[in-house]
Amino acid sequence: QVQLVESGGGLVQAGGSLRLSCAASRSIFSINNMGWYRQAPGKQRESVATITNDDTTTYAASVKGRFTISRDNAKNTVYLQMNSLKPEDTAVYYCNAHTFVFRTGWVDYWGQGTQVTVSS
C-alpha cells in the first residue's frame, strides 16, 4: 500500500506557473505508473500526465507543451510543472499510483487532491 500527499496548488493568474508535488509514503521505484489527473466541477476526472518507471511520459493534448511530469525516486516524489496556465486548467488535481500487486492484480492509489484555480 502507498499513501500519496499532494501539495503546491493555489490561485494563479492566467499565463502563470505552478508546480505540484506528490509525496509517496514509500519508495516509488517499483511503481509501474505515476500520474496526475484532474477533475473540474461538473466534469469527469481526466488524465493529465503519466510517467512510467522507465520515465516514459504521456500528456493530454490540452496540456502538451505546457505541463511537464517528472519523478524523483530518491525523494519518492512526482512533480507536475504547469506553465502558461489557462482558466480551463482550473480543477482539483489528484496524484495517482498505478501498480501491480502480487496476488491482487493492478491497483490504483489516489491522493486527496489539491485545488488549482486560474483566474482570467
Side-chain angles (χ1 to χ4, degrees):
Q1 196 169 7
V2 58
Q3 282 77 46
L4 304 171
V5 179
E6 303 99 333
S7 60
L11 174 64
V12 64
Q13 288 189 331
S17 298
L18 283 174
R19 187 175 83 154
L20 305 183
S21 299
C22 171
S25 60
R26 66 161 178 84
S27 171
I28 63 171
F29 180 78
S30 61
I31 294 178
N32 303 81
N33 292 282
M34 298 290 299
W36 288 95
Y37 290 69
R38 68 186 180 188
Q39 187 166 20
K43 295 188 176 181
Q44 287 190 329
R45 189 173 298 190
E46 63 175 355
S47 175
V48 175
T50 62
I51 185 167
T52 66
N53 53 8
D54 64 356
D55 289 335
T56 300
T57 58
T58 61
Y59 296 94
S62 59
V63 307
K64 209 166 188 177
R66 299 187 297 122
F67 291 11
T68 302
I69 189 171
S70 61
R71 61 193 291 166
D72 186 336
N73 290 336
K75 294 183 178 180
N76 301 330
T77 301
V78 177
Y79 303 97
L80 185 67
Q81 178 66 44
M82 306 187 293
N83 298 328
S84 303
L85 283 161
K86 304 176 181 180
E88 50 264 44
D89 294 319
T90 295
V92 177
Y93 283 70
Y94 297 91
C95 181
N96 168 268
H98 181 70
T99 193
F100 187 83
V101 177
F102 181 63
R103 292 185 176 176
T104 298
W106 289 100
V107 177
D108 282 291
Y109 299 99
W110 295 93
Q112 82 289 349
T114 186
Q115 177 71 47
V116 171
T117 303
V118 184
S119 64
S120 56

